[in-house]
Amino acid sequence: MKEIAHDLLVDAKGLACPMPIVRTKKALKDIKSGLIVQVQATDKGSTADLKAWAEKTGHDYLGTVDSEGVLKHYLRSSGEGKNTSPYPNLTSNDELNKLLQTEKQLTVLDVREPEEYEEFHIPGATSIPLGDLKDRMSELSDDKPIYVVCRTGNRSDMAASLLAENGYRDVVNVKPGMSEWNNEKVNVTLSALTAKELAQKVISKEDLFILDVRNENAFEDWKVDGVNFEYLNIPYFDLLDGVEDVLTQLPSDKELLVVCAKEGSSVMVAEMLVEEGVSASYLSGGMKAWSEYLEPVKIDDLKEGGELYQFVRLGKGCLSYMVLSGTEAVVIDSARMIDPYLKLAEDNGATITNVLDTHLHADHISGGREIARKTGAAYWLPPKDIEEAAFEFNPLEEGTSIKVGESRINVNALYTPGHTIGSTSFIIDEAYLLSGDILFVDSIGRPDLAGKAEDWVGDLRSSLYNTYKKLPKELTVLPAHFIIVDELNDDGSVAEKLGVLFENNHGLNIESEEEFRSTVTKNLPPQPNAYQNIRQTNMGKLDPDKDEQREMEIGPNRCAVR
C-alpha cells in the first residue's frame, strides 16, 4: 500500500511493546471520529499488535508501510476514546484510621471480592465488589462521606469515579488500601523466571499457570508447553486500563507466570498484578528466549568410555547431539545457538573435530558452519541435499565412518531418504540410532518441504519399512525433533527403543502402501515459518542477521506427519 495523508503523528520509534500501543491509545483518546493517525514504530511486533488492538477497540486499522525500517501504521479514529484520569479526591490509610477513631459519620466501602473481604476487612465496612457496584449502588446513602477501599487503590479508584458519575457528592479513594492496613502488608512479589528455570518446570512436570499476553493468533500457533500447565490468553492491550477484570480468572494455589513475545509487555502486566496484591513472575526474554534455550541432557556413558548428550530445545521441539570421547567431540544437527556446544566441549576438555547434519534443515538454521569456522572442525553434509551449496563441505554418504577420540567410538552413516532426498541416519557405538527427521517417537517425518511429497513418499516408506526394519530392535532411537511435550522422558530426554516404536508408532504400522501414501501426503500440518528462506540460509545463499534469523525460526518445528 502507499502512504496515507494523516491528521496526527504518533512517534513510537525505538520503543518495544507495549509502548507503541500505550502511546497510540493516549493519542486516540480524545480526537474526533474519522481522523487518520500515523504511528511510526520500529518494533516488528507492532504491526500485529496495533491491528489486533484496533479491532478490539473499534478503531479502523488501514494498513502498514515499511519505509526503510520504520513501520508506518495507519488507523482511523472511531472517536470513542474516553478519559481515564485517576480519581482526584484521595486520602491515606492513616487519615482514614484517624477518622474512624472519631465520632464522624462515614461509610467505608470495600470493593474487593467477597473472599478477600472475609479474610480481613475494616470493622464495619460495607462489602460491595466492584463488579456489583453499578447494580447495588442504591444500598449506599449519600448523606455521609463514602471512603472506598480495595487492596491497593486501583479498584477503589474506578469505584470512586463510578459513584461520582452517578451523583454521589462526597466520595474519597483510600490508597494504598488493605495491603497496608494496620501495617499488615501482604507478601506479594514480582520476579523474573529464566528460560532455564522454566525448562526445569517442564521437565519436572510441575504445576504452573501461564498468563500469555500475546495476540490470540500467536498464542494459538505456539505456546510454552507443559504437562501440568494451565493457560489464559489475554492480549496485553486489553489490560492497559487495569487487570481487575482478570483477577477472578487467576488461581490462588499455583505459581503465576506472565509471558509475551520479548518480555516488555509481560513485565508491565506482572507489575500491575503485583499492585493488585497478586504475586507474579515474568518470562525473562519472552518467547524469543524460550525458543532459543537448549537444555543439555546426558543420554548415557558409551561402552568405550565416551558420553552421549542430547540438547533439548524445548521451545521449538528440536533435538541435537554431542558425542564426547577423550579429547574429541562430534556435534550432530546443531542449532544456530552454538555456545552451549562449545561450553560442554570445553568443560570436558575436548575439541569439536567434526560437525554433521542429518539433512538440509527447513525448520531451523543450522549452527554447523559456524561451529566449524570457530573450531576448525570438518563439516559433513549429505551431498544430495545440498548440491547448490555456496560453501565447501565434506560429503556425507552411506558407509562414512567417523572416529571420535581415544575410545574410538564409531559414528556410521546410513542413507535413509524420504524427509529429504539426502536424509542420513547415524548409528553410534552400535547402540544408538540418530534418525534425523525420518522417525520420531510419536510420528514420522514429512516428505513435502522441498515440494516433492509425491516423489519422495516411496523413499520414506522404504527407509522406514525396509532399512530400519532390518536394524536391531534394541537400538535406542534419538530423533532430531519431538512433536508434543508428552514425548519427554522423566529426565527430559526424548528417546525410545526401535522395537517399541515398531509396536506403537502408527507411522510404522500402515500395511497398505496406498494408505501410507495418502497419510503422509494429505495429513500434513502447515509448513514451518519461513522454511524456504531457512533452506536457502542453510545452503549459504542467504545471510540474514541475528534478528532476522530469530524471526525466521519463530514457531513450532512442524516437521512431522500428524
Side-chain angles (χ1 to χ4, degrees):
M1 63 173 287
K2 296 181 180 180
E3 294 193 21
I4 302 173
H6 55 278
D7 303 292
L8 180 66
L9 173 65
V10 177
D11 186 356
K13 296 190 296 295
L15 301 177
C17 67
M19 292 311 299
I21 293 289
V22 172
R23 288 200 174 181
T24 304
K25 179 176 182 290
K26 183 177 180 180
L28 288 172
K29 184 173 62 175
D30 296 316
I31 70 172
K32 295 179 181 179
S33 176
L35 296 184
I36 304 298
V37 178
Q38 182 193 88
V39 183
Q40 293 188 359
T42 49
D43 184 353
K44 294 179 180 178
S46 62
T47 302
D49 285 353
L50 279 165
K51 182 178 181 181
W53 175 80
E55 291 173 353
K56 288 276 188 179
T57 55
H59 301 295
D60 294 327
Y61 171 79
L62 304 178
T64 296
V65 175
D66 189 339
S67 177
E68 298 181 351
V70 176
L71 299 171
K72 297 180 178 180
H73 309 291
Y74 293 94
L75 297 92
R76 181 185 291 113
S77 170
S78 67
E80 296 175 355
K82 64 177 183 178
N83 192 340
T84 56
S85 300
Y87 184 74
N89 194 3
L90 292 171
T91 195
S92 66
N93 286 11
D94 288 342
E95 289 301 318
L96 175 59
N97 200 18
K98 290 176 183 178
L99 288 172
L100 291 173
Q101 307 306 316
T102 70
E103 298 297 323
K104 182 177 176 64
Q105 294 293 308
L106 59 85
T107 297
V108 176
L109 172 62
D110 192 322
V111 295
R112 297 175 298 159
E113 293 302 305
E115 295 83 1
E116 298 175 280
Y117 179 84
E118 290 297 329
E119 183 178 347
F120 174 63
H121 63 266
I122 298 172
T126 299
S127 173
I128 303 179
L130 177 61
D132 299 339
L133 183 58
K134 188 173 182 179
D135 295 331
R136 295 177 56 188
M137 208 174 294
S138 59
E139 298 176 23
L140 299 171
S141 172
D142 191 31
D143 59 3
K144 54 186 176 181
I146 300 174
Y147 287 78
V148 191
V149 298
C150 67
R151 182 177 289 270
T152 62
N154 285 350
R155 279 177 282 179
S156 56
D157 176 276
M158 288 185 284
S161 295
L162 181 62
L163 290 169
E165 290 169 2
N166 283 272
Y168 287 82
R169 293 165 296 175
D170 195 354
V171 181
V172 184
N173 181 22
V174 182
K175 293 190 72 173
M178 300 306 296
S179 63
E180 297 188 20
W181 189 259
N182 288 342
N183 294 319
E184 296 190 19
K185 290 189 178 183
V186 180
N187 185 21
V188 177
T189 60
L190 171 67
S191 58
L193 191 74
T194 66
K196 180 178 179 61
E197 291 168 332
L198 180 56
Q200 293 306 312
K201 293 182 182 296
V202 173
I203 293 170
S204 302
K205 298 180 173 60
E206 295 182 26
D207 290 338
L208 183 68
F209 190 94
I210 295 179
L211 173 59
D212 195 313
V213 296
R214 296 174 296 152
N215 292 333
E216 289 95 335
N217 290 342
F219 174 75
E220 289 298 327
D221 183 52
W222 175 54
K223 65 180 185 295
V224 178
D225 283 321
V227 173
N228 293 314
F229 289 3
E230 293 183 43
Y231 307 90
L232 176 64
N233 173 225
I234 301 178
Y236 73 85
F237 45 73
D238 285 349
L239 302 172
L240 293 177
D241 288 329
V243 295
E244 290 81 3
D245 291 343
V246 79
L247 295 178
T248 58
Q249 301 178 64
L250 303 178
S252 58
D253 59 345
K254 290 184 180 179
E255 183 178 350
L256 172 62
L257 176 67
V258 187
V259 172
C260 71
K262 302 174 187 176
E263 178 185 302
S265 300
S266 60
V267 172
M268 178 194 73
V269 173
E271 288 176 342
M272 294 168 70
L273 289 170
V274 169
E275 288 177 3
E276 290 298 325
V278 178
S279 290
S281 57
Y282 61 89
L283 178 58
S284 180
M287 290 298 288
K288 287 187 178 295
W290 180 239
S291 172
E292 295 180 343
Y293 177 71
L294 301 176
E295 175 74 16
V297 179
K298 184 175 178 179
I299 297 296
D300 206 353
D301 290 318
L302 299 177
K303 65 181 182 180
E304 298 296 334
E307 297 174 322
L308 175 59
Y309 284 85
Q310 182 181 71
F311 289 80
V312 185
R313 191 175 175 185
L314 288 162
K316 196 168 174 63
C318 296
L319 303 167
S320 50
Y321 299 89
M322 178 180 284
V323 183
L324 284 161
S325 179
T327 59
E328 294 183 358
V330 170
V331 178
I332 301 169
D333 284 335
S334 163
R336 62 179 169 80
M337 294 74 65
I338 67 171
D339 286 346
Y341 309 104
L342 300 178
K343 184 177 187 306
L344 184 60
E346 181 182 356
D347 289 347
N348 285 272
T351 299
I352 299 174
T353 55
N354 292 275
V355 188
L356 301 79
D357 275 324
T358 55
H359 61 286
L360 179 68
H361 296 286
D363 70 296
H364 72 275
I365 295 168
S366 170
R369 270 192 298 154
E370 184 64 10
I371 293 177
R373 186 186 68 80
K374 284 202 169 187
T375 65
Y379 186 28
W380 300 77
L381 290 165
K384 292 184 179 181
D385 269 2
I386 200 157
E387 293 175 347
E388 302 176 18
F391 55 87
E392 293 185 359
F393 62 92
N394 291 0
L396 186 58
E397 298 172 327
E398 183 160 19
T400 299
S401 181
I402 299 172
K403 300 291 185 179
V404 189
E406 298 172 1
S407 57
R408 314 303 290 172
I409 296 169
N410 206 346
V411 181
N412 293 295
L414 183 69
Y415 182 50
T416 48
H419 176 66
T420 65
I421 194 59
S423 289
T424 301
S425 302
F426 300 112
I427 296 177
I428 297 176
D429 211 15
E430 299 179 354
Y432 299 92
L433 172 62
L434 272 64
S435 58
D437 282 6
I438 288 292
L439 175 62
F440 309 121
V441 169
D442 198 49
S443 187
I444 58 176
R446 62 192 294 170
D448 69 311
L449 293 182
K452 297 185 178 181
E454 293 292 340
D455 294 338
W456 291 354
V457 65
D459 292 319
L460 179 63
R461 183 174 178 85
S462 178
S463 293
L464 295 173
Y465 285 65
N466 295 326
T467 304
Y468 275 7
K469 196 79 170 180
K470 296 173 184 176
L471 297 176
K473 300 301 182 286
E474 287 305 307
L475 285 175
T476 297
V477 175
L478 298 170
H481 291 105
F482 65 94
I483 315 307
I484 56 175
V485 72
D486 292 13
E487 294 177 44
L488 269 64
N489 297 318
D490 289 342
D491 62 355
S493 68
V494 179
E496 188 53 272
K497 295 292 185 182
L498 181 60
V500 173
L501 296 187
F502 269 111
E503 290 179 3
N504 299 331
N505 189 317
H506 173 70
L508 297 178
N509 290 279
I510 304 174
E511 293 186 7
S512 165
E513 288 192 28
E514 183 177 345
E515 181 185 347
F516 182 88
R517 178 176 292 274
S518 175
T519 297
V520 300
T521 58
K522 297 179 180 178
N523 191 27
L524 296 172
Q527 293 173 321
N529 294 336
Y531 77 100
Q532 292 287 23
N533 286 340
I534 292 174
R535 284 169 54 86
Q536 293 292 306
T537 300
N538 286 333
M539 281 193 283
K541 292 187 171 185
L542 291 179
D543 186 23
D545 63 30
K546 287 186 178 180
D547 287 338
E548 290 170 332
Q549 290 180 34
R550 289 190 182 102
E551 291 298 324
M552 288 162 64
E553 287 192 350
I554 287 296
N557 66 71
R558 299 190 182 122
C559 288
V561 174
R562 296 294 175 89

PDB file of all heavy atoms in Angstrom, residues 304-318:
ATOM      1  N   GLU A 304      32.808 -47.618  25.291  1.00  0.00           N
ATOM      2  CA  GLU A 304      34.259 -47.470  25.202  1.00  0.00           C
ATOM      3  C   GLU A 304      34.763 -46.269  25.998  1.00  0.00           C
ATOM      4  O   GLU A 304      35.892 -45.818  25.813  1.00  0.00           O
ATOM      5  CB  GLU A 304      34.685 -47.344  23.734  1.00  0.00           C
ATOM      6  CG  GLU A 304      34.354 -48.562  22.883  1.00  0.00           C
ATOM      7  CD  GLU A 304      35.103 -49.809  23.346  1.00  0.00           C
ATOM      8  OE1 GLU A 304      36.191 -49.650  23.944  1.00  0.00           O
ATOM      9  OE2 GLU A 304      34.604 -50.921  23.119  1.00  0.00           O
ATOM     10  N   GLY A 305      33.931 -45.722  26.866  1.00  0.00           N
ATOM     11  CA  GLY A 305      34.381 -44.663  27.743  1.00  0.00           C
ATOM     12  C   GLY A 305      33.907 -43.270  27.395  1.00  0.00           C
ATOM     13  O   GLY A 305      34.174 -42.327  28.127  1.00  0.00           O
ATOM     14  N   GLY A 306      33.198 -43.094  26.303  1.00  0.00           N
ATOM     15  CA  GLY A 306      32.708 -41.776  25.932  1.00  0.00           C
ATOM     16  C   GLY A 306      31.357 -41.464  26.542  1.00  0.00           C
ATOM     17  O   GLY A 306      30.805 -42.240  27.330  1.00  0.00           O
ATOM     18  N   GLU A 307      30.802 -40.313  26.152  1.00  0.00           N
ATOM     19  CA  GLU A 307      29.498 -39.879  26.646  1.00  0.00           C
ATOM     20  C   GLU A 307      28.672 -39.348  25.489  1.00  0.00           C
ATOM     21  O   GLU A 307      29.211 -38.766  24.543  1.00  0.00           O
ATOM     22  CB  GLU A 307      29.664 -38.780  27.706  1.00  0.00           C
ATOM     23  CG  GLU A 307      30.400 -39.222  28.953  1.00  0.00           C
ATOM     24  CD  GLU A 307      30.655 -38.061  29.895  1.00  0.00           C
ATOM     25  OE1 GLU A 307      30.951 -36.951  29.401  1.00  0.00           O
ATOM     26  OE2 GLU A 307      30.562 -38.255  31.115  1.00  0.00           O
ATOM     27  N   LEU A 308      27.367 -39.533  25.595  1.00  0.00           N
ATOM     28  CA  LEU A 308      26.435 -39.050  24.578  1.00  0.00           C
ATOM     29  C   LEU A 308      25.454 -38.082  25.236  1.00  0.00           C
ATOM     30  O   LEU A 308      24.800 -38.438  26.224  1.00  0.00           O
ATOM     31  CB  LEU A 308      25.689 -40.217  23.935  1.00  0.00           C
ATOM     32  CG  LEU A 308      24.592 -39.872  22.921  1.00  0.00           C
ATOM     33  CD1 LEU A 308      25.153 -39.067  21.758  1.00  0.00           C
ATOM     34  CD2 LEU A 308      23.923 -41.152  22.413  1.00  0.00           C
ATOM     35  N   TYR A 309      25.374 -36.863  24.682  1.00  0.00           N
ATOM     36  CA  TYR A 309      24.466 -35.838  25.200  1.00  0.00           C
ATOM     37  C   TYR A 309      23.427 -35.474  24.145  1.00  0.00           C
ATOM     38  O   TYR A 309      23.716 -35.432  22.951  1.00  0.00           O
ATOM     39  CB  TYR A 309      25.233 -34.569  25.586  1.00  0.00           C
ATOM     40  CG  TYR A 309      25.987 -34.678  26.888  1.00  0.00           C
ATOM     41  CD1 TYR A 309      27.255 -35.233  26.922  1.00  0.00           C
ATOM     42  CD2 TYR A 309      25.423 -34.224  28.075  1.00  0.00           C
ATOM     43  CE1 TYR A 309      27.965 -35.323  28.122  1.00  0.00           C
ATOM     44  CE2 TYR A 309      26.116 -34.306  29.277  1.00  0.00           C
ATOM     45  CZ  TYR A 309      27.382 -34.863  29.291  1.00  0.00           C
ATOM     46  OH  TYR A 309      28.072 -34.953  30.472  1.00  0.00           O
ATOM     47  N   GLN A 310      22.223 -35.184  24.641  1.00  0.00           N
ATOM     48  CA  GLN A 310      21.152 -34.651  23.798  1.00  0.00           C
ATOM     49  C   GLN A 310      20.864 -33.219  24.259  1.00  0.00           C
ATOM     50  O   GLN A 310      20.725 -32.959  25.453  1.00  0.00           O
ATOM     51  CB  GLN A 310      19.890 -35.507  23.957  1.00  0.00           C
ATOM     52  CG  GLN A 310      18.706 -35.088  23.102  1.00  0.00           C
ATOM     53  CD  GLN A 310      17.493 -35.988  23.366  1.00  0.00           C
ATOM     54  OE1 GLN A 310      16.880 -35.904  24.430  1.00  0.00           O
ATOM     55  NE2 GLN A 310      17.176 -36.846  22.410  1.00  0.00           N
ATOM     56  N   PHE A 311      20.783 -32.291  23.307  1.00  0.00           N
ATOM     57  CA  PHE A 311      20.414 -30.917  23.618  1.00  0.00           C
ATOM     58  C   PHE A 311      18.946 -30.733  23.241  1.00  0.00           C
ATOM     59  O   PHE A 311      18.582 -30.842  22.063  1.00  0.00           O
ATOM     60  CB  PHE A 311      21.297 -29.933  22.842  1.00  0.00           C
ATOM     61  CG  PHE A 311      22.718 -29.883  23.324  1.00  0.00           C
ATOM     62  CD1 PHE A 311      23.631 -30.852  22.948  1.00  0.00           C
ATOM     63  CD2 PHE A 311      23.139 -28.864  24.173  1.00  0.00           C
ATOM     64  CE1 PHE A 311      24.939 -30.813  23.394  1.00  0.00           C
ATOM     65  CE2 PHE A 311      24.440 -28.810  24.624  1.00  0.00           C
ATOM     66  CZ  PHE A 311      25.349 -29.789  24.243  1.00  0.00           C
ATOM     67  N   VAL A 312      18.113 -30.464  24.238  1.00  0.00           N
ATOM     68  CA  VAL A 312      16.666 -30.383  24.038  1.00  0.00           C
ATOM     69  C   VAL A 312      16.261 -28.915  23.927  1.00  0.00           C
ATOM     70  O   VAL A 312      16.418 -28.140  24.872  1.00  0.00           O
ATOM     71  CB  VAL A 312      15.908 -31.054  25.194  1.00  0.00           C
ATOM     72  CG1 VAL A 312      14.401 -31.071  24.909  1.00  0.00           C
ATOM     73  CG2 VAL A 312      16.427 -32.474  25.422  1.00  0.00           C
ATOM     74  N   ARG A 313      15.763 -28.533  22.760  1.00  0.00           N
ATOM     75  CA  ARG A 313      15.273 -27.175  22.542  1.00  0.00           C
ATOM     76  C   ARG A 313      13.768 -27.187  22.780  1.00  0.00           C
ATOM     77  O   ARG A 313      12.956 -27.328  21.868  1.00  0.00           O
ATOM     78  CB  ARG A 313      15.622 -26.717  21.122  1.00  0.00           C
ATOM     79  CG  ARG A 313      15.400 -25.243  20.867  1.00  0.00           C
ATOM     80  CD  ARG A 313      15.885 -24.861  19.473  1.00  0.00           C
ATOM     81  NE  ARG A 313      15.588 -23.482  19.161  1.00  0.00           N
ATOM     82  CZ  ARG A 313      15.816 -22.906  17.985  1.00  0.00           C
ATOM     83  NH1 ARG A 313      16.394 -23.611  17.018  1.00  0.00           N
ATOM     84  NH2 ARG A 313      15.504 -21.645  17.784  1.00  0.00           N
ATOM     85  N   LEU A 314      13.394 -27.021  24.046  1.00  0.00           N
ATOM     86  CA  LEU A 314      12.002 -27.211  24.462  1.00  0.00           C
ATOM     87  C   LEU A 314      11.052 -26.251  23.774  1.00  0.00           C
ATOM     88  O   LEU A 314       9.902 -26.596  23.491  1.00  0.00           O
ATOM     89  CB  LEU A 314      11.896 -27.045  25.976  1.00  0.00           C
ATOM     90  CG  LEU A 314      12.497 -28.199  26.798  1.00  0.00           C
ATOM     91  CD1 LEU A 314      12.744 -27.743  28.227  1.00  0.00           C
ATOM     92  CD2 LEU A 314      11.582 -29.401  26.784  1.00  0.00           C
ATOM     93  N   GLY A 315      11.518 -25.035  23.499  1.00  0.00           N
ATOM     94  CA  GLY A 315      10.635 -24.035  22.915  1.00  0.00           C
ATOM     95  C   GLY A 315      10.323 -24.263  21.457  1.00  0.00           C
ATOM     96  O   GLY A 315       9.430 -23.620  20.907  1.00  0.00           O
ATOM     97  N   LYS A 316      11.050 -25.161  20.803  1.00  0.00           N
ATOM     98  CA  LYS A 316      10.816 -25.396  19.378  1.00  0.00           C
ATOM     99  C   LYS A 316      10.707 -26.880  19.028  1.00  0.00           C
ATOM    100  O   LYS A 316      10.382 -27.244  17.897  1.00  0.00           O
ATOM    101  CB  LYS A 316      11.936 -24.750  18.555  1.00  0.00           C
ATOM    102  CG  LYS A 316      11.587 -24.610  17.077  1.00  0.00           C
ATOM    103  CD  LYS A 316      12.563 -23.719  16.355  1.00  0.00           C
ATOM    104  CE  LYS A 316      12.268 -23.721  14.857  1.00  0.00           C
ATOM    105  NZ  LYS A 316      10.930 -23.158  14.555  1.00  0.00           N
ATOM    106  N   GLY A 317      10.997 -27.747  19.979  1.00  0.00           N
ATOM    107  CA  GLY A 317      10.896 -29.178  19.716  1.00  0.00           C
ATOM    108  C   GLY A 317      12.049 -29.728  18.910  1.00  0.00           C
ATOM    109  O   GLY A 317      11.918 -30.778  18.279  1.00  0.00           O
ATOM    110  N   CYS A 318      13.206 -29.048  18.908  1.00  0.00           N
ATOM    111  CA  CYS A 318      14.384 -29.517  18.167  1.00  0.00           C
ATOM    112  C   CYS A 318      15.327 -30.260  19.106  1.00  0.00           C
ATOM    113  O   CYS A 318      15.470 -29.906  20.275  1.00  0.00           O
ATOM    114  CB  CYS A 318      15.131 -28.342  17.536  1.00  0.00           C
ATOM    115  SG  CYS A 318      14.189 -27.452  16.294  1.00  0.00           S
TER     116      CYS A 318
END
